[in-house]
Amino acid sequence: VCGMEWYGYAALGVLTAFLSFLMDLSVAKLLNAHQWLYMKLEGNSLLQFFCWTLYPACLCAVGSTFSHDICPFSTGSGIPEVRTMLVGFEMPHYLSVTHLFTKYVGLICTLAAGSTVFLGKVGPFVHLSTMVGAYLSNLCTLVQVDKKENALREMLVVAAGVGVASCFGAPVSGVLFSVEVMSSHFALKQYVPCFFSAACGALTFRLFAVWSGDGETLQALFKTDFPAALPFYPLEILLFAFLGLVCGAVSCCYLFCHRRMLKFTKTNSVLAKLLTTEKGLYAGTVAFLLACVTFPHFFGRYMASKFTMKQLLTSLMDSSQWGSQTHNASVSEPLSKWSSPESPFYFSLTFFLLMKMWLLVVACSLPVPAGYFMPVFLYGAALGRLVGEGAAYVFSWTSINPGGYALAGAAAYSGAVTHTLSPALLAVEVTGQFSHAVPALVAALLANAVARSRRRPSFYDALSIGK
Amino acid sequence: VCGMEWYGYAALGVLTAFLSFLMDLSVAKLLNAHQWLYMKLEGNSLLQFFCWTLYPACLCAVGSTFSHDICPFSTGSGIPEVRTMLVGFEMPHYLSVTHLFTKYVGLICTLAAGSTVFLGKVGPFVHLSTMVGAYLSNLCTLVQVDKKENALREMLVVAAGVGVASCFGAPVSGVLFSVEVMSSHFALKQYVPCFFSAACGALTFRLFAVWSGDGETLQALFKTDFPAALPFYPLEILLFAFLGLVCGAVSCCYLFCHRRMLKFTKTNSVLAKLLTTEKGLYAGTVAFLLACVTFPHFFGRYMASKFTMKQLLTSLMDSSQWGSQTHNASVSEPLSKWSSPESPFYFSLTFFLLMKMWLLVVACSLPVPAGYFMPVFLYGAALGRLVGEGAAYVFSWTSINPGGYALAGAAAYSGAVTHTLSPALLAVEVTGQFSHAVPALVAALLANAVARSRRRPSFYDALSIGK
């Protein structure tokens, strides 16, 4: 009844989701192994230090060398390349199966280094899904008798949408995010294939989670439990707007540092030479330094460095007020990791924000396959949490939910860095609660207004210019 | 700092939301007056009959005559006209302030006729907001020194998005719906203004509701209380897919009837003459007939005709199983209206679906300003409810939530009729719960696949061709 390409779209969604699930599984195993070893060495700080630092350093060095040796251009996020291909440039070596394999293995190494390296998987997954799409498109062309024109390009557009969707199990915002990032004009003809493929991907991704015993039913990835009856007071909209402006300002600072860092790695002769010839060495050294800073017996205890990325995000979106808990005897699980007797959580959050700003800029220079969206999203959540806790302290007679500010902050900050609005929807979709949709949208709009003023380039623009 | 047009966009959102709120308020007053009178006449069936039938008949006759006399082209949905304008045709008389006023008053009359006439406000509101936009654009051009080209067109694109957003207080899906309905290519440059204006509109609309004492905080328009822990079992996806196919098939039938009716009113000489010269008479007669059929002491008792549109939708999205309640002594509020001793709710729902199919086709021929989205959305919810209750009966050992099927059915059916996907997001946004986003998207995709097969025209295409 329907054309060959629809089977291709469905297969694309299912395959990408399968890859995503398999990656999550392997990364979780590797992270667990690290945690287990670290716990076993309890009592011996020196051995713990080596375990903490050498594990990510080795992973990054291996991932970097491996991807450099097999496919030298497989490092980085991949979004600038996909963008270029969608505009119409043909870059067949960027779509080969070897490249797919290299990027996949390299990305597992990066993610297994965990929250010390603090990088994500969104960008490379967009690239991975376009590679799967190109492969499927070739298969379709082999089978089909009457060849369609532009079949490859259409498949690539669809694949770009599927990548984000099967990363987070969020079909709607996944498609919208890649539309915003990728293209300046979007043909509505490709709307339905995109959503079809993304729905297949998100469904498969979540069903895998159910079948592997991770949950009883299809759930949001970072499920929250905000109170449904009174999510926020109407006047809190002003606070959310203020949060949006703060996020916009901080994002300008981050983008400036990132551009300077990109320029510095190009112009500094030592670094530039190191990055072309000795990628593995550079990656290992930088990862070692990052791990030194986040070592739990050193600065790490002030920045909850024992959490994985997922745990960090879940803890920041906690709906209870941490400020009011410090007087009580019972302290909730997230707060106990974020505070210690010598450092209240206010200090930890501020320290986390200050340190991660430059750590993230350094981490972005790592020559490994890595996504830069998730860390930015997390950073925004921490920023939002701090503002939310502050608001809860100032207006202590009301029951302000700081988790909602974390959600809006994540949406606003990641939206400002990438110059998009869809993170507002993404934040709602990955947490599975709609109550904060309007605050998140308001915050994202204002953050975008600040970030886009004076024609500043977005994060991906800066990467594209750098290439 | 920012250009004049941004103030225009904000004003557009706020003004449209204000119009929408004012309309809801007046309609509620008029509906209450009708209900009060009907209750007072309890015991005298004949007087009740006249009250039930003459009230909507008069309203429709007045609305039709009024809009015909002042602005003869203000009838109908307005979406085909807005589409034509966005393509590039200039139709200044469709954007005048007189037209705005006429359409506004006419729409109040139609909506006040309530669920007997069974028409909505989405389409005309898109048109109303474009008129507001055109007016504001003129104001901007007067004030601004350096005139921008295409300012009017940009404002119209934004305004089309705002209309839906401030109708339902749903900014994200509002913009996406109008993008899908209006244009074949969409420039991302207009993305941010659209969302900015829609967020302003949705915020204002909901804040008005808070300030008028309708709710304690910003809430979804049709708030549901589905269980958050286990919204549905993974295998229920198959049932949702089946529901999507059913919705697609029924929508084809509805669209076929609608096209035949459009053709019939053009070709039949008596009707065509009546519709050109005696619009008021025709509208009054048809509304009278519709009201006769839905009279609560006649067929109306089998189709819950005492409910307003909003109450109908809320009752259908009820999360409790009606089937299991019939054995208990305590019966929930929605069920008591949908069933009576002589007619179980299965019969009522089926009867409702069969009758409303042709009643709605007839109502669409009324020469009054009216929207055709809401009735279709409601019809889909009833269809979904029926399938959901059937599923709950067959799989009686599980705790299936028929309200979720109503939500997915509404999304799938309205998506199929308009050939769009965004109703899936709209259904999630107006109910304020994200748990059923993926089922709704799956159902909407399959319904669209059925409805779009063999290049059938959508509802709005049929209207455009008819003009």
Side-chain angles (χ1 to χ4, degrees), chain A residues 336-383:
Chain A
S336 66
K337 287 277 169 66
W338 273 101
S339 68
S340 56
E342 72 265 33
S343 73
F345 71 91
Y346 279 113
F347 175 75
S348 299
L349 274 176
T350 318
F351 189 76
F352 177 88
L353 289 172
L354 287 177
M355 294 297 279
K356 281 294 178 195
M357 171 68 86
W358 68 268
L359 286 179
L360 185 53
V361 169
V362 172
C364 285
S365 74
L366 279 175
V368 288
Y372 309 122
F373 181 81
M374 197 61 197
V376 168
F377 195 77
L378 236 164
Y379 191 91
L383 200 59

Side-chain angles (χ1 to χ4, degrees), chain B residues 80-89 91 94-95 127 130 156:
Chain B
E81 287 88 351
V82 176
R83 256 181 167 181
T84 321
M85 281 187 277
L86 286 185
V87 171
F89 287 94
M91 300 152 86
Y94 274 96
L95 292 173
H127 195 171
T130 53
L156 289 187

Side-chain angles (χ1 to χ4, degrees), chain A residues 201-369:
Chain A
L203 248 175
T204 317
F205 181 68
R206 295 212 210 159
L207 282 177
F208 272 129
V210 173
W211 287 329
S212 72
D214 207 27
E216 207 181 345
T217 181
L218 309 187
Q219 278 177 325
L221 205 55
F222 307 104
K223 207 155 178 288
T224 51
D225 54 346
F226 296 162
L230 185 68
F232 56 91
Y233 296 97
L235 281 177
E236 278 185 68
I237 286 289
L238 297 177
L239 284 173
F240 284 111
F242 169 71
L243 173 62
L245 295 177
V246 171
C247 285
V250 177
S251 80
C252 286
C253 167
Y254 168 66
L255 288 175
F256 177 76
C257 295
H258 177 245
R259 284 198 298 273
R260 288 301 290 264
M261 185 71 193
L262 275 180
K263 211 172 164 189
F264 180 69
T265 51
K266 293 268 165 198
T267 48
N268 185 290
S269 58
V270 182
L271 265 184
K273 202 181 156 201
L274 210 60
L275 269 170
T276 38
T277 53
E278 296 291 344
K279 279 188 177 174
L281 182 64
Y282 177 80
T285 320
V286 169
F288 180 78
L289 286 175
L290 290 175
C292 285
V293 174
T294 60
F295 181 54
H297 292 294
F298 187 47
F299 282 152
R301 71 186 128 169
Y302 308 126
M303 41 202 285
S305 67
K306 275 190 188 173
F307 273 136
T308 61
M309 301 285 275
K310 187 172 171 172
Q311 284 168 334
L312 268 177
L313 190 57
T314 318
S315 73
L316 288 170
M317 301 243 183
D318 182 26
S319 64
S320 58
Q321 286 185 11
W322 293 350
S324 61
Q325 281 181 27
T326 42
H327 312 300
N328 303 352
S330 66
V331 163
S332 70
E333 158 80 62
L335 178 56
S336 66
K337 287 277 169 66
W338 273 101
S339 68
S340 56
E342 72 265 33
S343 73
F345 71 91
Y346 279 113
F347 175 75
S348 299
L349 274 176
T350 318
F351 189 76
F352 177 88
L353 289 172
L354 287 177
M355 294 297 279
K356 281 294 178 195
M357 171 68 86
W358 68 268
L359 286 179
L360 185 53
V361 169
V362 172
C364 285
S365 74
L366 279 175
V368 288

Side-chain angles (χ1 to χ4, degrees), chain A residues 176 179-180 183-188 191-192 195-196 203 217-218 228 230 232 234 421 429 432 434 442 445 452, chain B residues 176 179-180 183-188 191-192 195-196 203 210 217-218 230 232 421 429 432 434 442 445 452:
Chain A
L176 291 179
V179 166
E180 272 194 283
S183 49
S184 60
H185 275 260
F186 188 70
L188 276 179
Y191 212 72
V192 175
F195 274 104
F196 172 69
L203 248 175
T217 181
L218 309 187
L230 185 68
F232 56 91
L421 289 178
E429 209 169 359
F434 217 99
V442 170
L445 276 166
R452 291 191 191 195
Chain B
L176 291 180
V179 165
E180 274 194 282
S183 48
S184 60
H185 276 260
F186 187 69
L188 277 178
Y191 211 74
V192 176
F195 275 105
F196 172 70
L203 248 175
V210 174
T217 183
L218 308 187
L230 185 68
F232 56 90
L421 290 178
E429 209 168 358
F434 217 101
V442 170
L445 276 167
R452 290 192 192 194

